[in-house]
Amino acid sequence: FYPSLRLDPQGSDVQLGLFLIGSALDSTDGQFFDLVRDESGAVETLAGESDQFWLPRGSRVYFYQTRYPFEDGPDTLHGDVFITFIPWGDEYDVVSIYADPTGGTSTTGSVLETDGIFWRQRNAIEVADGWASPNLGDVVPVAVGVYYNETENLSFALSLFIDEQTIRLVQTELDINALDSTGVDFDDSPELRDDLDGPAPNYTADFSVGRLAVRDIASPTESTRIAVSLLEPEGTHAVFLGTYDGTVMNYARVPGLTDPVIEVLSTGLLMTRKANGYRIVTAAGNEVWSVRSSSLLFTGEREHEGRMYLYFSSGYWGREDGNQYRFTRVNRIRTPQP
């Protein structure tokens, strides 16, 4: 259960959109739902549900939730978007799952499959003569992720590449055709972020496409963080943290960390996923907080009344009035400090 990024924990007069994601042996499926609130702001009823969507499963499928801005009269509103990276061959296909929780009726959402992200980005940048490598095949993909630029109110699909021993980031603005609800697509003009270039880290294994988590990359500052989690042959992860030194990004391996980083928090700490829960660690790999629970799902960090909170959801089956229901709880804690 992923609550809407527009969630107001104290209640709101707008709908609360959400995603319910499940998995089978060979597929990932799910649905969109809307919860409608009454005049007091309390959740009143489940307004509706969309057609079920289905995604093929693969190794190292990466899910990211982000916001999508769209125009509605004089105001800019937000929809909720899942961006899913699914491996096929040497590429990663991108599937967007889009829902609009801002309307007056239940959303139906939509699913859109796009081209392979690496092929599309590398070729577009090559036309602009942005790569240093003379052979486009030598530009090696390292990691994929997404980023929401709060200042510009834009969401991007991100890729890291190695280009002649330099780590380089490409961002592609997510685009939507809201008129026919075809989902979220790529903008045709990916941007090579030369201001985030840095030397490739010292890594002895073969680079495999890993998970990317970023913070504050709208313009590089001391708070800019890029966390790269690479799968190693034994099934653990090597995690490299890139920080900005005023000139370039410098990537250093986080000592002792073998779990993937799924989010760089507002305090600069790293949220990591374990098989039976979560850990928060510093850039030096020191544990600050942890929870052991196979039923909790971390769904992101959000601001409420000027304070940052970590949100978790948990689901369970129960009976009420003789009927069986699926219950979901949303929990939060204040974001820990270093």
Side-chain angles (χ1 to χ4, degrees), residues 56 84-88 91-95 113-117 186:
T84 309
F85 298 97
I86 300 176
W88 53 277
E91 259 290 359
Y92 267 68
D93 202 11
V94 184
V95 178
E113 187 171 343
T114 69
D115 292 336
I117 185 170
F186 277 120

Side-chain angles (χ1 to χ4, degrees), residues 15-312:
Q15 287 176 275
L16 166 61
L18 57 93
F19 296 91
L20 186 63
I21 308 293
S23 61
L25 291 178
D26 59 353
S27 66
T28 296
D29 58 9
Q31 292 176 288
F32 309 101
F33 293 85
D34 282 333
L35 300 179
V36 177
R37 300 179 185 274
D38 60 22
E39 293 181 357
S40 69
V43 173
E44 183 180 41
T45 181
L46 183 67
E49 59 185 77
S50 75
D51 293 335
Q52 194 170 33
F53 60 82
W54 175 89
L55 301 172
R57 288 180 64 84
S59 61
R60 297 173 299 192
V61 176
Y62 301 124
F63 286 92
Y64 295 86
Q65 188 181 19
T66 186
R67 285 161 282 187
Y68 186 81
F70 59 96
E71 294 294 332
D72 183 14
D75 301 318
T76 298
L77 304 176
H78 295 279
D80 289 331
V81 179
F82 260 90
I83 305 298
T84 309
F85 298 97
I86 300 176
W88 53 277
D90 296 328
E91 259 290 359
Y92 267 68
D93 202 11
V94 184
V95 178
S96 64
I97 309 167
Y98 170 70
D100 169 14
T102 60
T105 59
S106 60
T107 185
T108 57
S110 59
V111 178
L112 179 69
E113 187 171 343
T114 69
D115 292 336
I117 185 170
F118 302 139
W119 176 88
R120 190 160 181 170
Q121 289 182 330
R122 279 185 297 197
N123 281 272
I125 296 297
E126 182 190 32
V127 172
D129 296 325
W131 300 115
S133 300
N135 180 7
L136 195 60
D138 293 334
V139 179
V140 180
V142 176
V144 289
V146 299
Y147 173 61
Y148 175 68
N149 183 335
E150 200 161 341
T151 303
E152 297 182 6
N153 195 24
L154 297 172
S155 286
F156 298 92
L158 303 178
S159 297
L160 277 189
F161 295 91
I162 291 183
D163 179 21
E164 289 199 343
Q165 301 307 308
T166 296
I167 289 286
R168 313 191 72 182
L169 185 144
V170 178
Q171 65 181 30
T172 305
E173 183 181 340
L174 300 177
D175 195 11
I176 190 171
N177 184 346
L179 295 178
D180 56 9
S181 298
T182 54
V184 179
D185 201 352
F186 277 120
D187 178 80
D188 287 329
S189 302
E191 177 187 357
L192 184 62
R193 289 290 304 271
D194 293 332
D195 55 339
L196 296 174
D197 286 354
N202 183 19
Y203 181 59
T204 57
D206 292 333
F207 274 101
S208 61
V209 176
R211 188 180 183 97
L212 183 62
V214 303
R215 193 85 190 190
D216 299 330
I217 65 169
S219 58
T221 65
E222 290 184 358
S223 63
T224 298
R225 301 284 188 274
I226 299 178
V228 187
S229 304
L230 303 176
L231 187 66
E232 298 199 286
E234 60 270 24
T236 59
H237 286 78
V239 177
F240 296 88
L241 182 63
T243 55
Y244 189 69
D245 67 1
T247 305
V248 298
M249 297 295 297
N250 284 311
Y251 289 87
R253 186 163 183 170
V254 181
L257 187 58
T258 58
D259 302 315
V261 173
I262 58 175
E263 187 154 341
V264 180
L265 303 179
S266 58
T267 54
L269 297 172
L270 308 176
M271 172 68 77
T272 69
R273 178 68 186 264
K274 296 179 62 67
N276 61 345
Y278 299 90
R279 296 174 66 218
I280 297 177
V281 301
T282 66
N286 299 319
E287 184 176 295
V288 173
W289 178 90
S290 67
V291 59
R292 290 185 179 181
S293 174
S294 58
S295 63
L296 278 181
L297 173 68
F298 175 64
T299 61
E301 185 182 27
R302 299 169 177 81
E303 181 179 358
H304 178 67
E305 295 184 345
R307 295 179 176 180
M308 300 302 292
Y309 293 86
L310 307 180
Y311 283 79
F312 299 83

